[in-house]
Amino acid sequence: MVGGPLMVNYSFSQAGNDLSQVAPIIALSAALLIALVVDLFLGRRRAGFVVAIIAGVGYAVAAGLAILLWDGGGSAYHGFATGDHLARFFEVLFGGLGVATVLVSHGYLKKRAMAVSEFHIILLAASTGMMALAAATSLVSVFVSLELLSVSLYIATGYDRSRTTSQEAAVKYLMVGGFASAFLLYGMALLYGATGSTVLSEIAQKATATSNPLLMMVVILLGAGLAFKISGAPFHQWTPDVYQGAPLPVTGFMSVGTKAAAFVMIIRIFNDGLPHLSGEWQLVLALVAAASLVVGNLMAIIQTSVKRLLAYSSVAQAGYLLIGVIAGGKDGLAAVMFYLAAYTVMNFGAFAILTLLSGPHGDTDRISDLEGMGRRHPYLGLLMTIFMLSLAGFPPSVGFVGKLWLFTAGVNHGFIWLVVLAVLASVVSVYYYARVLMRVWDTREAGSAELLARPGVVVVAVAALAVIALGVLPGLLLAVSTTGAWPPT
C-alpha cells in the first residue's frame, strides 16, 4: 500500500515531463482539432476567417512554447521523442513559417475563390507532421510523422481543383512519394531486424557491436528514400512538376518546410542512429550532393517558369546542405541548421512575392510575367533582388554567410573536392538568378500596378530584412545553431 501512491506520483510526474517535451506539437494539434470543429459548425465564409486566425495563433503559440521550454529538453515516451535543442530550433522555424504562410495566402485564396478553412487545416496537419518529425527519435515516430506530413502535402498540392496541372502534380507526388516511402520503410525494417530496436539511441549502441551485412543495404535504402524527400538528384524528378502544379502558397510552404524537416530526419537517422557507419553513408550522400549540384544548377539555366527554376534551385540547395551533413561534427551540423533557417527566409520570400502578384485567373509563373515589376512595384523589385542575390550567395546577405560556413565545414573535414564543385556550381547559379532580375527591372513593358495584400507585403519585407540583418550580424543565429543556448551566449 505504501508503494501505490509513490507509483502514482511518479507516473504523473513522468507524464508531465513527457508532455512538456512535445508541448509545441500538442499546441499545434489542438489548433488543428479546434479548426476542424469550427469549420464543421460555421458557414464557409465565417469559418475561413476564423480558421485562419486559429491557425496563426496555433503556430505562434507552438513557436512560443518552443522558446519557453528551450533549456528543458530531454527524452520522452521511452525514447520515441525528444525536446532537445535541435527539435526546439526547428519548432520555432516551422511556427514562424506557418504564421508567414497564413498572412501571405489569405489574399491569394480570396482572389482565386478557394476554400480558406480547408487550406489552413491541411497545412496545420502538415506543420504538425514537420514538428513531430523534428522531435522524433524512433523509427516508428519518424515514419508516422513523415506520413502525416507527406499525405497532407499530397492533398495540398492538388488543392486547386480547377486546374488539371494541379491534379496531375498531386498524383505524381503521391505515386513517387509512396515509392520513396517504401524504400524508407524497407530500410527501417532491415535496421530493426539487424539491431532489434526502433529507438535511435539504442540502434547506435547495438549497431556498433555488430557487423551485420544488412546494415549496408540499410544505408543504401535509407539514402535513396531520404534523397527523395530533400529533392536530391537523381531522385528529384518529382520536384519541378510538383512545384509548378501546386498553388503558389503551397509551393512556397513545402519548398522550405519539407526540406528542413527532411534534413532533420537525415541528421537523426544517420548522425545519431548510425554514427559507426559514417564512412558508408557519407559516400552515399556525397554522391547525391555532387549530382544535385550539377543537375540542379544546369537544369535551372534552361527554365522559363519561375516555379521550375526555383525547383531546380532547390535541388542544388540540397547539394549545398548535404556538405554540412557529410562533414558532421558540431560545426557541420550547426552550418546545416543556420543555412536551413537562411534558406527559409530567402526562398519563402521569393515565393511570397510571386503569390502577391498572382491574379484570379492563374499564378505568376513565367519569367516573362515579372517584366517591369521593378517599375510597377519598386519596393517588391528591390526585395526580389535581395532574395535572388542571397540565393546566389552574394555578400552581405545571409545566403553568403550560410554557404561560407557550409564550405568551411566541408574543407575542415576533408571534403575539399565536394566544396570545389559547390563553389563552381554557385558561380553557375548566378546566371539564372540574374535572368530573373533582368526581367524584374526590364521597363519596356511595365504595365499598371496591381493592388497587393498588405499582410503579405509585410511578410516579404520582414523576410528581406532578416536576409540582410542575419548576413551583416549573423552572430545571434550562429550562436543558437552552434551552442543550442537561448538566449545565445
Side-chain angles (χ1 to χ4, degrees):
M1 296 295 292
V2 176
L6 293 176
M7 291 298 294
V8 171
N9 290 336
Y10 172 79
S11 298
F12 277 115
S13 174
Q14 185 65 42
N17 177 70
D18 288 348
L19 287 172
S20 69
Q21 304 305 317
V22 295
I25 304 171
I26 293 174
L28 209 56
S29 301
L32 171 61
L33 295 176
I34 294 171
L36 282 168
V37 174
V38 168
D39 183 50
L40 181 64
F41 288 102
L42 292 182
R44 180 173 178 177
R45 288 186 177 180
R46 294 174 58 196
F49 181 72
V50 175
V51 168
I53 293 176
I54 293 172
V57 171
Y59 291 125
V61 170
L65 285 172
I67 294 174
L68 289 174
L69 299 171
W70 190 278
D71 291 324
S75 181
Y77 300 107
H78 305 286
F80 271 60
T82 184
D84 62 8
H85 290 137
L86 184 66
R88 296 295 188 232
F89 180 90
F90 284 100
E91 285 164 354
V92 174
L93 187 67
F94 295 146
L97 173 63
V99 172
T101 302
V102 171
L103 294 174
V104 169
S105 62
H106 190 70
Y108 176 93
L109 295 172
K110 290 177 64 177
K111 284 190 289 187
R112 300 295 301 277
M114 294 182 181
V116 176
S117 54
E118 288 91 338
F119 177 86
H120 292 301
I121 288 170
I122 292 169
L123 292 196
L124 274 171
S127 300
T128 303
M130 290 192 297
M131 285 194 181
L133 197 56
T137 52
S138 164
L139 297 178
V140 175
S141 51
V142 165
F143 190 76
V144 171
S145 305
L146 178 63
E147 288 308 292
L148 174 59
L149 168 61
S150 299
V151 172
S152 301
L153 289 181
Y154 299 153
I155 300 170
T157 300
Y159 197 71
D160 189 354
R161 286 170 287 186
S162 63
R163 292 172 57 221
T164 56
T165 53
S166 181
Q167 307 303 303
E168 179 184 350
V171 172
K172 288 180 179 178
Y173 197 11
L174 172 63
M175 298 299 291
V176 183
F179 191 65
S181 295
F183 271 95
L184 279 173
L185 190 58
Y186 194 16
M188 290 178 178
L190 292 180
L191 185 55
Y192 173 74
T195 61
S197 177
T198 63
V199 179
L200 294 176
S201 59
E202 295 178 4
I203 288 174
Q205 296 174 358
K206 295 180 179 181
T208 304
T210 182
S211 58
N212 196 321
L214 280 178
L215 294 176
M216 297 299 103
M217 183 61 71
V218 166
V219 169
I220 295 174
L221 291 172
L222 292 180
L226 293 171
F228 167 86
K229 298 300 180 182
I230 63 171
S231 303
F235 308 96
H236 67 287
Q237 291 91 341
W238 63 274
T239 311
D241 291 338
V242 172
Y243 276 35
Q244 188 173 28
L248 264 169
V250 176
T251 307
F253 175 86
M254 70 179 177
S255 70
V256 293
T258 306
K259 191 174 294 293
F263 269 99
V264 180
M265 183 169 54
I266 289 177
I267 292 171
R268 295 284 192 203
I269 293 178
F270 283 149
N271 193 70
D272 297 348
L274 297 170
H276 76 293
L277 292 176
S278 59
E280 286 76 6
W281 58 256
Q282 281 175 343
L283 175 60
V284 172
L285 295 184
L287 294 175
V288 173
S292 300
L293 291 169
V294 174
V295 172
N297 283 295
L298 292 182
M299 290 300 296
I301 292 175
I302 61 175
Q303 302 306 313
T304 58
S305 160
V306 184
K307 282 185 175 182
R308 294 183 74 88
L309 184 149
L310 290 176
Y312 282 110
S313 166
S314 173
V315 175
Q317 299 290 343
Y320 300 130
L321 284 160
L322 282 173
I323 295 175
V325 176
I326 296 165
K330 192 174 182 179
D331 57 339
L333 299 184
V336 173
M337 294 169 65
F338 181 92
Y339 197 76
L340 281 170
Y343 183 67
T344 297
V345 292
M346 55 191 181
N347 205 62
F348 183 83
F351 274 112
I353 289 177
L354 298 179
T355 303
L356 290 173
L357 294 174
S358 296
H361 303 296
D363 290 347
T364 299
D365 183 26
R366 314 296 294 181
I367 295 179
S368 57
D369 294 339
L370 299 178
E371 280 189 2
M373 186 184 78
R375 185 173 178 180
R376 294 194 306 274
H377 304 284
Y379 54 94
L380 282 189
L382 176 62
L383 298 181
M384 180 64 92
T385 302
I386 291 173
F387 296 135
M388 291 293 107
L389 293 181
S390 184
L391 285 167
F394 276 79
S397 67
V398 69
F400 169 77
V401 178
K403 284 184 179 178
L404 178 63
W405 207 12
L406 285 170
F407 296 166
T408 301
V411 171
N412 290 341
H413 291 268
F415 294 93
I416 298 174
W417 68 272
L418 191 55
V419 172
V420 171
L421 179 60
V423 172
L424 295 175
S426 294
V427 174
V428 174
S429 72
V430 173
Y431 172 76
Y432 57 82
Y433 291 127
R435 282 182 60 214
V436 175
L437 295 181
M438 288 175 64
R439 291 299 185 118
V440 167
W441 295 107
D442 187 347
T443 59
R444 286 174 296 179
E445 297 182 14
S448 58
E450 312 96 302
L451 183 63
L452 304 178
R454 290 183 180 179
V457 174
V458 171
V459 169
V460 175
V462 171
L465 181 63
V467 167
I468 298 300
L470 293 175
V472 176
L473 300 170
L476 175 66
L477 187 55
L478 287 173
V480 174
S481 303
T482 305
T483 66
W486 186 270
T489 56

